[in-house]
Amino acid sequence: MALLSKEASLALVQQVHRLIGMKNGVAPHDAPRPRPQRNAPRPGAERFDVIVVGAGPAGSAAALVAARAGLKVLLLERGEYPGAKNVSGAAFYGSAILHDLIPNWWEQAPVERYLTRRVLAFMTAETSVAIDFRTTRFAEPPYNGFSILRPKFDRWFADQAVAAGAFLLNAAVVDEVLWEDDQVVGVRVRRDEGDLRADVVIACDGANSFLAKNAGLQREFHAHEMSLGVKEVLALDEAIIRERFHLHDNDGLAIEYIGAITEEVSGGGFLYTNRDSLSLGVIGQISSLAEHKRRPYELLETFKRHPAVAPLVRGGRVREYSAHIIPEAGWNMLPKLYTGGMLVAGDAAALCFVAGLYLEGINYAIQSGIAAGETAVAAHQERDFSARSLARYVERLRARHVITDFANYRHAPALVNSPRLQNLYPEIIAAGAEQVFRVNGGPKRKLLPIALEALRRAQVSPVHVLQDALQAGRSFGW
Amino acid sequence: MRIAVCLKQVPDPATVEVDPLTAALDTRRMLYIAGPADTAALELALRLAGPTGQVSALCVGPPAADAVLRMALAVGATEVRRLWVPPFLSLQAPAQTALLLAAGLQRATIPDLVLCGARSSDQGSGQAPALLAEFLDWPVVCDVTQIAMEGDRVRVQRRLDRGAREELEVRLPAVLAVEANLARLRHASLPGLMRAERASVPVSHLEDLGLEPADLAFPTASVRAVTPPRPRTRPIFTPDSTRPAHERITQIITAGVTRKSGKVLEGPPAQMADAVVEFLRERGFV
Ligand SMILES: Cc1cc2nc3c(=O)[nH]c(=O)nc-3n(C[C@H](O)[C@H](O)[C@H](O)COP(=O)(O)OP(=O)(O)OC[C@H]3O[C@@H](n4cnc5c(N)ncnc54)[C@H](O)[C@@H]3O)c2cc1C
């Protein structure tokens, strides 16, 4: 199987548990780390204008932009092909962005369904209350979002960079960045004579970026800043999918689940429709997984058995299973985004937006990849690869609303992962809805008393509720 | 020394996906590699040829097979060539493969030695090396487990059944089909990998090889239909209804497994012979 096998995923989970220390769920992040030794490239190393590490959405976008400007670009990927090891839901909400880069990209790219229906479901163990949004306006080009399967999509996207003139090298793992006088001047690949030179290195090597840490741009992470996603693709007949999810030909739906789905673990669930399969998974905050000693794949099984989910996945046969780390804490995790000769983009820069109803990484990866590519092109025009020159990357990210989104939503991750939002409010919403809809011969009751009674029963003081409401407002409202 | 290696493109087992609904192979994400016996042959070729020798690699296959030849270039093959006859060879018979390889070899400088993998990891009939030798009219040794060069001769060890080995001496030029565990292919260096990635792989078609379609008209198998495998039925044990109840219960408990019982005959030869004949007659054999 192209993606991680179940065994490999379990091994990853165990490794994560070990890394963070099961006892307290806190990463030993404060331990001072010796600064890695800085090596220079060996003489005779081949030279490129730009080396992009990692052919995910961020890397392919950066390589495409730089290659189109006529630069000599090398795109290095550790997998046997781009996407071979990439995992994601995946609902891709960057259609308009990609449309700017490759007009009508959906006509040639391997997409599954365009998303016209989005559902946000609050769950308790037996109940679910959902907001169901559906619009035909998302069924018109350039569309709002698509469900995609990453192994196919990433391969196609990397091919676009190759068509623009980038040189793609698979089966090449980058082990370190190479330096000369406090300036990054290349990378070392894990092969004989593996040194390569470049004026600009763009690190797009995904979550928990080895390169950003190796270059001293990123700190070690706290366990509460990382989540582990486990995901399955279930094969299901196309006609059944259309019937079951009330879909027309090629439109699709994305459901995000909040609440008891992950039991006491902070996180959530998702389900997306593909052409003839479903992508579904759960995401659990690593610190709370550790604290409650829960294995993410157990949560996935619980999720699939939930009365609101079970009928949706009935008859689906597992086609692939995979696990991956997601940077979650947004703004607070952003590394230093550049140094002399180097830029960091995508998940490597922790530019993954995770906050309850949002799970968006691919669009920000592409945005930041484009910004990094443009910065490298501008640096080449001026022949200035110093940190001062590359600092304009941050302006470009701001212009593309990347930095601003993360800044505006900087309070959201903490709120979304708070126990009240994770469990209590979904509980209250579900219990309240039940009271509203239940007919048992008693008097019909109005909403406010029901809500107040539910809060009283849960022993939550109105002060807390007000605090959370303000916090939610600050996070999502204004 | 000039050595030619024949590589077959086979699906990378890590990328073989079976559609859970139809049980058909999903070829869309399949990647092609050279099988373990073929890569062992390539490694041996590189070692035997040494730094000054020539190693050329040949592969009969569609454009996707270029990946296999690029891999050979990356580890140090000096020359590669892909042979292909679309769409004639959609189902490749070993005789067709061997004839194309022979033609391909004869078009270039004739090598001193041809190394093949003993068996491909997909079909694994192991016929191509022997057929190739037949077309070249060269000696061939299959299932080779050891090779030592001695001037214009090569001493080889061959695997026979039940762990037996046979030592042979062959005069060059010859075809040797080597076993998978004979050598492990080296890792490509980064410059090697980049060089290979940039190289264009030359292709020869029928006319380049001096062949006609009729030359390839060997009797071959053709695919009529593909049906998903049916789950194997498991026979359910039913006890012999003519036996008394307690025996039937014992039969059920032991699931019908009975020990084989034998009978040892004793006495003078004539008497024993009579007993055997009687035994066979009872059971309707004579
Ligand atoms: C379970 C799950 C569900 C998700 N769902 C969604 C979703 O629905 N929508 C959404 O927008 N986002 C989703 N995300 C987030 C999204 O997957 C990421 O934000 C996105 O993939 C980031 O892209 P990237 O290019 O930065 O990194 P990646 O896609 O991770 O790509 C990194 C690439 O770098 C390569 N690489 C890594 N290290 C090296 C090295 N040392 N040398 C060479 N190559 C290297 C890797 O092989 C990989 O190809 C999800 C994530 C998970 C885990």
Side-chain angles (χ1 to χ4, degrees), chain A residues 53-59 76-79 81-83 85-93 150 154 172-175 204-207 210-211 228-231 270 272 282-283 323-327 345-348 351-352 359-363 365:
Chain A
V53 181
L76 294 170
E77 168 55 45
R78 101 189 129 175
Y81 60 90
K85 300 210 165 71
N86 290 356
V87 175
S88 120
F92 170 48
Y93 298 110
R150 291 291 299 280
D154 285 12
V173 183
V174 172
D175 268 342
C204 302
D205 55 334
F210 171 76
L211 251 65
L228 192 68
V230 286
K231 183 201 135 192
F270 61 86
Y272 308 137
V282 292
I283 291 167
H324 201 266
I325 289 172
I326 310 175
D347 271 13
L351 293 173
C352 190
L359 170 51
E360 298 180 16
I362 305 169
N363 45 334

Side-chain angles (χ1 to χ4, degrees), chain B residues 176-200:
Chain B
L176 303 179
V178 307
E179 301 242 303
N181 52 10
L182 206 51
R184 244 186 108 103
L185 187 62
R186 60 195 65 185
H187 283 289
S189 72
L190 185 70
L193 197 67
M194 308 221 336
R195 210 180 318 113
E197 198 56 43
R198 285 175 174 140
S200 62

Side-chain angles (χ1 to χ4, degrees), chain A residues 1-2 46 48 80-81 151-152 155 167-170 189 191-194 196 235-237 317 319-320, chain B residues 12-21 26 28-31 187-191 193-195 197-198:
Chain A
M1 214 173 270
E46 192 175 340
F48 289 85
E80 286 302 311
Y81 60 90
K152 292 186 200 164
R155 213 166 165 178
F167 181 33
L168 167 67
L169 202 63
N170 294 313
V189 172
R191 282 185 181 273
D192 283 354
E193 302 170 66
L196 292 164
L236 204 60
D237 190 74
R317 300 221 220 157
R319 189 182 278 171
E320 56 193 49
Chain B
D12 179 350
T15 65
V16 174
E17 283 179 34
V18 181
D19 188 311
L21 297 179
D26 183 354
R28 284 168 302 178
R29 266 157 72 178
M30 208 121 93
L31 293 184
H187 283 289
S189 72
L190 185 70
L193 197 67
M194 308 221 336
R195 210 180 318 113
E197 198 56 43
R198 285 175 174 140

